[in-house]
Amino acid sequence: MPVEQRLRLVTAVPGPRSCELAARKAATIANGVGNVLPAYIVEAGGGILIDVDGNQLIDFGSGIAVTTVGNSAPAVVARVREAVERFTHTCFMVTPYEGYLEVAERLAELTPGDHPKKSALFNSGAEAVENAIKIARVATGRPAVVCFDHAYHGRTNLTMALTAKDMPYKHGFGPFASEIYRAPMAYPYRWPGDPTRVAEEAFAQFESQVHVQVGENQVAAVIIEPIQGEGGFIVPPVGFLPRIAQWCRDHGTVFIADEIQTGFCRTGDWFACDHEDVVPDLITTAKGIAGGLPLAAVTGRAELMDAVHIGGLGGTYGGNPIACAAAVGAIEEMQSGDLCGRARQIEAIVRARLQAMATRYEAIGDVRGRGAMLAVELVAPGGRQPDAALTGAVARACHARGVVVLTAGSYGNVLRFLPPLSISDELLREGFDVVEEAFADVLAG
Ligand SMILES: Cc1ncc(COP(=O)(O)O)c(C=O)c1O
């Protein structure tokens, strides 16, 4: 039965049943596994999450940019149901199946560039990033990888090394993988140099640091999120990504675009690289690819992908048949429903709301992002000092009023909005009415 598309609170959020479950969580689940909002969900669809107490919450998080096509999207459910009744697992490395090939064929068509491409499928974003680095190292015979300030690439050992932020992602978990080097990110709002030359200056620093500290011919790969996700929806200025891609071409280095958060219509294009016609050598995808089922991929130039010896890539569950069926359904839904266009419509509504709020609240220092991936950076009045306490207070006030929002940013001062693209305009507007109320209350109080 379709989920009613209406915000409705019948208890406090979280309610009593959720609190009982939270007590069970405290007794059985490791402390390190946190919850943003401990309202336990029993059903979801469109733009609504229904919790165990019967509250209907507006979803501005999409399970961290995963349910782009919506929760239990009909095209995904139909494909999954049909697949799960036939078989659940064989391991593609043992006895293969067609669904894996279908996903790889879609990826070859949809990802940037018209060169011959191949893919390998995995379970999580971090696993895809690890494998992209493995491929780049074998293909080039070089050890070093360059990543950026404010980057997030995952929580495994190699991806923690690539991720920038200490707490909570890296703190105490070292030592980390070696041969990882970090360059400044073109972060317009916080660029210390000339605000009109951020792309040029950031690229010049990248070029000089790599030359001095690493050596161009040692660099296997440069990895970058075309719009940084966990780092705070940082959009590099036009020209930065093409310069990095060109530098990689000039030096025989593999350019890896980590589109795990930005991919699959989220930013109003199939991939964020499309915005400036940047063609990565390898692209990592996950999250939105399969409507909520765990699936990830590395897709790239056939000659790079084929550099690895047989048996060098894989994993027991990578490209699980149910997840592949879900991905085929999700991609069909994105194509038939023009979800790239829908992301741009959502951007028009949300950006206007956030910009209007920024004129009223001095605490909103910056409004940024693209498509249905927008954020505000909150600062102390009169300057740009990050205000993480205010950000947390506004997020909690949204949660208490039934709107699920997420925070982000190296300084914890970014409120980010990632609604499912299946949300209605009406619900989107209602959700932002609540966000505005939350701002007004917190700032008044
Ligand atoms: C850009 C980016 N890369 C990698 C990852 C890691 O993905 P996963 O959590 O599926 O391992 C994430 C997750 O947020 C991400 O946003």
Side-chain angles (χ1 to χ4, degrees):
M1 211 172 49
V3 172
E4 185 196 18
Q5 296 299 298
R6 179 162 89 82
L7 172 65
R8 188 169 64 125
L9 299 188
V10 293
T11 70
V13 180
R17 275 288 292 137
S18 278
C19 290
E20 282 169 30
L21 293 169
R24 272 171 63 194
K25 173 184 181 271
T28 51
I29 306 298
N31 262 337
V33 184
N35 299 132
V36 170
L37 169 57
Y40 281 73
I41 301 306
V42 291
E43 207 180 334
I48 290 289
L49 303 167
I50 303 182
D51 76 11
V52 69
D53 290 287
N55 297 304
Q56 298 188 176
L57 314 173
I58 297 181
D59 182 9
F60 280 176
S62 299
I64 323 188
V66 170
T67 51
T68 304
V69 294
N71 252 296
S72 299
V76 173
V77 172
R79 291 273 184 171
V80 165
R81 194 168 272 153
E82 196 266 329
V84 80
E85 282 178 354
R86 283 189 293 121
F87 63 99
T88 47
H89 175 83
T90 62
C91 185
F92 189 77
M93 299 184 305
V94 179
T95 47
Y97 39 86
E98 192 176 347
Y100 194 114
L101 312 183
E102 279 185 87
V103 173
E105 285 159 3
R106 298 288 192 289
L107 284 163
E109 288 156 24
L110 296 169
T111 52
D114 50 15
H115 49 276
K117 291 176 208 157
K118 289 194 172 183
S119 290
L121 304 185
F122 304 97
N123 302 293
S124 69
E127 211 188 333
V129 170
E130 291 249 355
N131 280 280
I133 303 291
K134 282 165 60 175
I135 293 164
R137 282 182 169 152
V138 169
T140 59
R142 302 173 181 180
V145 178
V146 179
C147 57
F148 290 85
D149 285 339
H150 312 288
Y152 182 88
H153 297 290
R155 296 170 180 266
T156 56
N157 189 267
L158 175 56
T159 58
M160 276 192 292
L162 295 166
T163 289
K165 192 173 175 180
D166 171 50
M167 189 59 100
Y169 306 125
K170 302 171 75 162
H171 193 76
F173 298 136
F176 302 113
S178 59
E179 286 302 322
I180 307 292
Y181 301 87
R182 197 172 299 286
M185 177 63 182
Y187 183 171
Y189 184 65
R190 295 198 176 275
W191 188 249
D194 179 348
T196 66
R197 301 192 67 251
V198 179
E200 294 85 342
E201 290 183 4
F203 175 71
Q205 288 190 20
F206 160 88
E207 199 174 27
S208 151
Q209 283 189 16
V210 174
H211 179 70
V212 173
Q213 297 175 19
V214 198
E216 291 82 351
N217 64 4
Q218 295 302 299
V219 185
V222 175
I223 182 165
I224 191 165
E225 302 153 83
I227 296 177
Q228 288 183 323
E230 306 300 304
F233 288 16
I234 299 166
V235 186
V238 168
F240 183 68
L241 292 174
R243 280 181 172 82
I244 299 285
Q246 185 59 49
W247 184 95
C248 288
R249 280 193 292 278
D250 293 346
H251 294 96
T253 298
V254 178
F255 179 64
I256 305 174
D258 180 348
E259 293 244 19
I260 286 164
Q261 191 154 158
T262 48
F264 289 103
C265 306
R266 177 55 59 188
T267 65
D269 286 297
W270 276 97
F271 296 94
C273 278
D274 293 332
H275 193 69
E276 289 186 77
D277 292 328
V278 168
V279 178
D281 299 309
L282 299 179
I283 180 167
T284 54
T285 54
K287 292 193 183 275
I289 189 174
L293 275 85
L295 188 71
V298 182
T299 302
R301 295 188 186 281
E303 68 277 14
L304 292 176
M305 296 296 296
D306 281 344
V308 177
H309 45 276
I310 289 183
L313 302 176
T316 305
Y317 295 110
N320 165 271
I322 315 302
C324 287
V328 171
I331 292 168
E332 263 171 22
E333 177 64 29
M334 291 177 208
Q335 287 175 316
S336 64
D338 181 22
L339 293 197
C340 288
R342 180 65 191 142
R344 292 194 291 267
Q345 289 169 351
I346 289 175
E347 172 172 5
I349 295 172
V350 177
R351 191 181 286 283
R353 288 297 285 261
L354 295 177
Q355 280 171 342
M357 284 166 67
T359 61
R360 279 203 301 284
Y361 300 116
E362 221 190 325
I364 299 181
D366 196 22
V367 175
R368 60 176 181 251
R370 198 186 302 146
M373 182 175 181
L374 295 169
V376 288
E377 176 158 356
L378 303 188
V379 292
R384 294 191 174 190
Q385 186 63 31
D387 197 339
L390 174 66
T391 312
V394 174
R396 284 191 298 279
C398 291
H399 298 163
R401 288 169 173 75
V403 175
V404 180
V405 295
L406 306 174
T407 59
S410 294
Y411 316 108
N413 67 326
V414 174
L415 207 55
R416 58 173 159 164
F417 304 101
L418 289 161
L421 304 182
S422 54
I423 197 169
S424 67
D425 287 359
E426 200 184 357
L427 203 59
L428 193 64
R429 292 201 170 94
E430 191 180 355
F432 276 95
D433 291 344
V434 173
V435 172
E436 288 206 46
E437 261 175 51
F439 261 96
D441 273 18
V442 169
L443 289 166

